[in-house]
Each structure stands twice: as C-alpha cells, then as structure tokens.
Amino acid sequence: MDQLSPQDSQFLYMESEDNLTHVTSISILDQTTVPKGKIVRFRDILQHVEGRLHMSPLFKRRLIHVPLELDFPYWVDDDNFDLEYHVRHGRLPEPGDWRQFCIHMARYHSRPLDMTRPLWEMYVVEGLDNIDWMPKGSYAIATKIHHAAVDGTAIVDFFGAMADVDNKGTPAMPLNMAKLRRSPKPSLLDMAVRAAWHSVRSPIGMTDAIMRSAPSIYRLAQNALRSQTRDKFPVPDTRFNTHVSPQKMFDAKVFPLADLKVIREAVPGSTINDVVLAICGGGLRRYLQHHDELPENPLIAWVPINARQGTGPDPDAPGNNVSSMTAPIFTNVENPIKRLQCIHEATQQSKAAKAGVSARVMVDLSKHVPASTQVIASRLVLRAGMSQRMCNLFISNVPGPQVPLYMNGALQVGTFGMAPLANGMGLFIATPSYNGKISFSVTSTREIMPDIDFFVDCIERSLADLKAATEPPKKKRSRKKAANKPAKKKRSRKKAATKPAKKKRSRKKLRAVKT
C-alpha cells in the first residue's frame, strides 16, 4: 500500500477555496521542426501521452481518504482512468497575443483539479498567432499537477518522461527502464489497523527523532533566539501580505541564462540562485518605489531548497522532498552589485544554519505527527495568516534541462510556471531554466498586482542594471592627449603670396614667331 507522506499531505490540508495548491507548467512548442509533410494533431498528442503513461505511477493513481482523517490518504490505482478527460484541447481567443495568452493561462490555473481522479491535467492551446518571439504555428501545453504529488524536481522528471531528444521521437528517458508499480486499494479494516498503529507509534517515533536530533535542534533553537534578539531583518508589511483572492494573474519574461552567469562572476562564490534573488529584489524595489510603498527594511523571500539525496530507498519517487529557507533580498539597497553581495552573504548563512537541519530534522519530525493533528494545525495556520509574519513572497529557482527537447517532433522553445499562493503571501516568482534560457514567471492576484505587466518590466530593468554594473567601462579617448597632438601643418598664405608667379608668354613675341 502506498500512503501519502506527512509532508505531501500538508498540501492537501492547506488547500482552500481561495488558495489551490497545484502547480501549472507551460511549454511552448514549435511545429516548424516537425518532419516535412506532417503537422501535430490533437490525436497525435493523445497517442504520445498514452505511450508514456507507464513511466510514472502519478499518471494513473488517485487518492482515497481515511474516514474522519484519522490517518494520511492512500494512493490507489484508478480503475476508471480516462485519458481524454485529463488531456483537453482549446484555442486562444482573438487577437491571440501575449496578453490574451497570459489571461487564458491565469484562468486555467485558477480552476481546481478533480480530487476524485488522478491529480493532473494537460491543456493543449492553439491560436498563438500574434506573439512576436513565437514561430508561426506554435502551440502551448499547460500541465496542471497537484503539489501533494510532486515537488520541483519531481515535476522535471514528470516532463522528462514525456520528452524526446530529437524530432524523430527518441525518448529522453529509456521507456523500458520504468518499473511497473501497482497501488491496490486498501480495505477499511486495513486502514483502521494502520491508523491505530500509527497513533500508538507516533509519540514513540517523535521521542526517538527528538533524541537523535537533540544537538541539531539545540543549535537551531540557539540561532532562532539570537535572530529574535538581534531582530536584524524584521518582515515589513507590504501589499503582498494580505488575503489572496481566487482570481489569479500571470505574466513572464525570458532572458539568456548566460547573462546571469556573467553577473555571478561579479561577486566571487555567488550562485545563479543569488543572482535570481538580486534581480527580483531590484524589480520589487523599482515597483514599490513607483507606488510609493517601498519599506525601509528589506523584503524577505521564502526560498525552497531541494532535499533529495539521490541515495535513499526510492529517491525518484513522486512526492515532495524539499526544505526551505527565508532570505532578505535587500530591496533597500540601491546599488545592484552591493545588493547581490549582501544576498550572497545572507543566503550562505541561511543555508549553513537551516539547510542541514531542516532537511534532516524537520522532515524527520514531521513523519511522526498524526494526520488529525496536521489537519487542525494547517487550518489554524491558514486562519491566523501566520505566513505573513515569516516572509513577503515566494521565489523558486528550478534548474531544468539545458538541451533542446521535443514532443511529437515539435521543438520546445519556452517554459513557464505558475505556483500556489497563500494568505499573507500573494506573490510567487518562479524561474525555470531550459536550453540556455531562464524565465521569470510571476503569479499574483488582480487585487494585489493589477499592473503585473509593469512589474515584469521592472524585473527586466533590474537585470539590465546588473548587466550594466558588471560590464567593464569603455575606454574613452583622452582629450588632453588629443590636445597635445601636433596640429596638421597648413600651408602659409603669406608664403603662397610671395611665391613668384608663373611666367606668361608674351603675345607680342608669339606674333613675331608666327610671322
């Protein structure tokens, strides 16, 4: 029996009508790479997906809940699986430009998944006719997956199962290497026995985990107390720390990944993630200044950390294996290079203090918290709006494949992402990278960020400021040197005037010669 882990279950218990906890990944595909004489039809996409369903157990299994939420839900095989329900087709309304595309995707992301079926959907969107950087005939595939089933790394693996390495259909992952995993439905008696056993075992497991992790917990508590006494970076109150409505907004911008790598060299030891935080910090500084809302203290970002070790019993299993840290993004620092330097120093301290502890200890402790306790705690957190006391926004950097990928012969030319929000944190910036490019994908709501296109422009200008600050100054020609250069000799008029005139032959003498 496959039971949902405690960490995955949190995404179910924290879901509400206003805040849906699924993620939406958007891929743009170019049909001009399809072999000549062929076009990609909807039935071709259905056949392609059907041929890859065995690559992940996520595709064909759903959740069943234990009565009264006495234990965590179970994954079971969906005996009534219908592929055509999960893969749908539509067309972008006129005029088919980028603004219409963003509105269309935001509406799709705002709709809930059917929790009685496997927790994923695909939406094929045609009609992308008036978007400059997209080749003619391009289409999009928006894939919605519940966060209880995947984290950022698992999403990359999910799409790796669908991808090809060329336009001939060569799979990116060998199809014969996937293990067949069945998830039979447990009986009520089985669920009752396991729930009783987990209730008895939870206090023992919690005590054992605390005893084993006591030194790490002690250091964590000391660091927390020190940070409270210093109160170095209190979370400021911003427009993002408010109630989140169901009406989501989306916009994005794509940049060369090479630009971020060049900027990284300006601060030795910094990472691409540090540069991403610096760009977001500069964009938010410009945006809040425009609205006269820039606080004196820096904004605090919630940043996920991948906790997959790759050596566990099943490191590639679907689900979440992620920790997180909070980091100031120094929106109060005007100089872009100074901001990057401050962010690098802050993230180094956060990773050293939290990554090792959170990934090993906090996840271990959460395994022993009963399901009923997590349900109550999650709902209390939502009602209390505790997230706004911890940070102002989410920023998630998910590295993707840096090689071109295909599907049905069509080349993937862009990737974007939308993520869940929470009351008190109404802004999510996802930065997936792919094939030498990185996209800054912004998710918010109509009430919080009605001018989301302006914010995306602020991010673009923030990157331009960092690039300008890292470029070496151009050598200018010294005026002093130019002034000392000897002037070009001009012919003296005086000398020219004294030069003897050319002798003219006398007319009188000429007549004498003729005669």
Side-chain angles (χ1 to χ4, degrees):
M1 292 183 289
D2 293 329
Q3 192 170 16
L4 201 65
S5 72
Q7 196 175 13
D8 297 340
S9 301
Q10 293 173 7
F11 291 100
L12 291 178
Y13 303 145
M14 295 188 74
E15 189 167 75
S16 66
E17 293 180 355
D18 295 339
N19 297 311
L20 304 172
T21 52
H22 57 245
V23 294
T24 301
S25 180
I26 305 166
S27 299
I28 309 298
L29 296 153
D30 173 17
Q31 284 200 89
T32 60
T33 61
V34 178
K36 291 183 179 180
K38 296 182 180 179
I39 59 172
V40 180
R41 300 184 182 276
F42 180 62
R43 66 169 179 263
D44 299 327
I45 297 173
L46 283 173
Q47 291 174 0
H48 181 88
V49 174
E50 188 174 18
R52 307 291 173 95
L53 291 177
H54 68 284
M55 294 295 292
S56 173
L58 169 65
F59 288 110
K60 282 189 170 184
R61 67 182 189 180
R62 62 184 180 88
L63 286 176
I64 60 167
H65 290 261
V66 179
L68 303 178
E69 300 291 351
L70 294 176
D71 204 359
F72 299 112
Y74 287 84
W75 289 112
V76 299
D77 294 326
D78 185 7
D79 297 328
N80 299 313
F81 177 77
D82 181 10
L83 179 62
E84 293 190 14
Y85 173 85
H86 291 273
V87 185
R88 305 176 186 179
H89 177 263
R91 189 173 183 83
L92 197 66
E94 296 295 338
D97 57 12
W98 177 252
R99 180 177 175 276
Q100 283 292 337
F101 179 72
C102 291
I103 293 172
H104 206 59
M105 290 295 95
R107 289 173 180 168
Y108 175 68
H109 180 72
S110 301
R111 301 187 189 108
L113 285 163
D114 186 347
M115 302 301 289
T116 64
R117 296 175 180 265
L119 303 182
W120 67 277
E121 291 178 1
M122 281 187 180
Y123 181 38
V124 182
V125 184
E126 293 184 297
L128 284 64
D129 300 325
N130 293 315
I131 302 176
D132 297 337
W133 60 271
M134 292 185 189
K136 294 297 181 183
S138 296
Y139 60 94
I141 297 183
T143 306
K144 190 187 300 181
I145 312 174
H146 201 282
H147 219 319
V150 289
D151 57 16
T153 305
I155 289 175
V156 173
D157 295 339
F158 176 90
F159 289 102
M162 290 288 162
D164 299 328
V165 295
D166 54 35
N167 64 349
K168 299 176 183 177
T170 306
M173 300 171 60
L175 301 183
N176 57 356
M177 290 183 64
K179 299 177 183 178
L180 181 62
R181 296 178 60 175
R182 302 286 297 173
S183 299
K185 183 177 180 179
S187 65
L188 285 175
L189 179 61
D190 291 334
M191 289 191 289
V193 170
R194 287 173 66 93
W197 168 244
H198 289 162
S199 298
V200 173
R201 191 188 65 176
S202 291
I204 300 173
M206 177 68 75
T207 304
D208 179 61
I210 291 174
M211 294 299 293
R212 284 187 288 105
S213 307
S216 298
I217 295 174
Y218 177 71
R219 288 194 299 270
L220 182 64
Q222 278 189 324
N223 291 334
L225 288 173
R226 290 195 194 103
S227 64
Q228 284 184 358
T229 55
R230 287 194 307 262
D231 199 24
K232 190 175 181 181
F233 298 119
V235 179
D237 185 25
T238 66
R239 62 165 58 202
F240 313 118
N241 304 109
T242 185
H243 181 79
V244 175
S245 73
Q247 289 79 30
K248 304 299 186 287
M249 296 284 284
F250 166 73
D251 206 339
K253 207 83 171 182
V254 182
F255 306 108
L257 189 58
D259 288 351
L260 277 70
K261 293 180 179 179
V262 172
I263 295 169
R264 180 182 59 183
E265 300 300 323
V267 177
S270 63
T271 64
I272 293 294
N273 192 59
D274 294 335
V275 178
V276 167
L277 296 180
I279 293 170
C280 294
L284 283 163
R285 174 184 172 84
R286 189 181 295 273
Y287 179 81
L288 293 174
Q289 274 185 328
H290 175 78
H291 291 284
D292 295 326
E293 298 176 4
L294 182 65
E296 293 182 1
N297 294 320
L299 269 64
I300 308 298
W302 185 284
V303 185
I305 302 173
N306 182 20
R308 290 178 181 264
Q309 301 297 324
T311 57
D314 194 4
D316 298 323
N320 290 270
N321 195 352
V322 66
S323 182
S324 60
M325 67 176 180
T326 54
I329 55 175
F330 294 95
T331 48
N332 57 335
V333 177
E334 183 177 3
N335 185 285
I337 298 300
K338 180 65 176 175
R339 186 188 312 120
L340 175 59
Q341 186 176 0
C342 293
I343 287 173
H344 171 60
E345 293 172 358
T347 54
Q348 287 296 100
Q349 293 175 4
S350 295
K351 288 176 182 177
K354 296 182 179 181
V357 175
S358 297
R360 295 191 307 270
V361 178
M362 301 310 293
V363 175
D364 191 23
L365 293 177
S366 68
K367 293 178 181 178
H368 305 290
V369 179
S372 55
T373 305
Q374 284 208 24
V375 172
I376 296 171
S378 299
R379 290 172 181 170
L380 286 173
V381 168
L382 283 176
R383 291 176 183 176
M386 293 178 64
S387 56
Q388 66 185 5
R389 303 175 190 174
M390 297 183 291
C391 61
N392 300 106
L393 73 155
F394 297 96
I395 300 177
S396 178
N397 178 30
V398 182
Q402 298 305 309
V403 294
L405 297 176
Y406 298 79
M407 182 176 177
N408 291 107
L411 174 65
Q412 182 177 335
V413 294
T415 180
F416 309 97
M418 300 181 69
L421 303 174
N423 283 333
M425 283 191 285
L427 177 62
F428 198 117
I429 304 175
T431 58
S433 60
Y434 160 71
N435 195 25
K437 296 180 181 179
I438 183 169
S439 70
F440 283 69
S441 304
V442 183
T443 307
S444 190
T445 68
R446 295 178 191 170
E447 295 78 10
I448 293 173
M449 192 173 275
D451 52 350
I452 192 169
D453 53 341
F454 172 68
F455 175 62
V456 170
D457 291 338
C458 291
I459 290 178
E460 184 176 20
R461 294 181 66 180
S462 176
L463 174 60
D465 291 341
L466 275 165
K467 284 177 63 180
T470 55
E471 288 177 355
K474 294 181 180 180
K475 292 183 179 180
K476 295 182 179 180
R477 189 176 177 182
S478 175
R479 292 184 178 180
K480 192 173 181 181
K481 191 174 180 181
N484 293 335
K485 189 177 179 181
K488 190 176 179 181
K489 291 183 179 180
K490 295 183 179 180
R491 191 173 179 181
S492 173
R493 292 185 178 181
K494 193 173 181 181
K495 192 173 181 181
T498 56
K499 187 177 179 180
K502 191 176 179 181
K503 293 182 179 180
K504 295 182 180 179
R505 201 169 182 183
S506 170
R507 289 185 181 180
K508 197 172 182 180
K509 196 172 184 180
L510 284 173
R511 288 176 186 170
V513 171
K514 286 182 181 179
T515 56

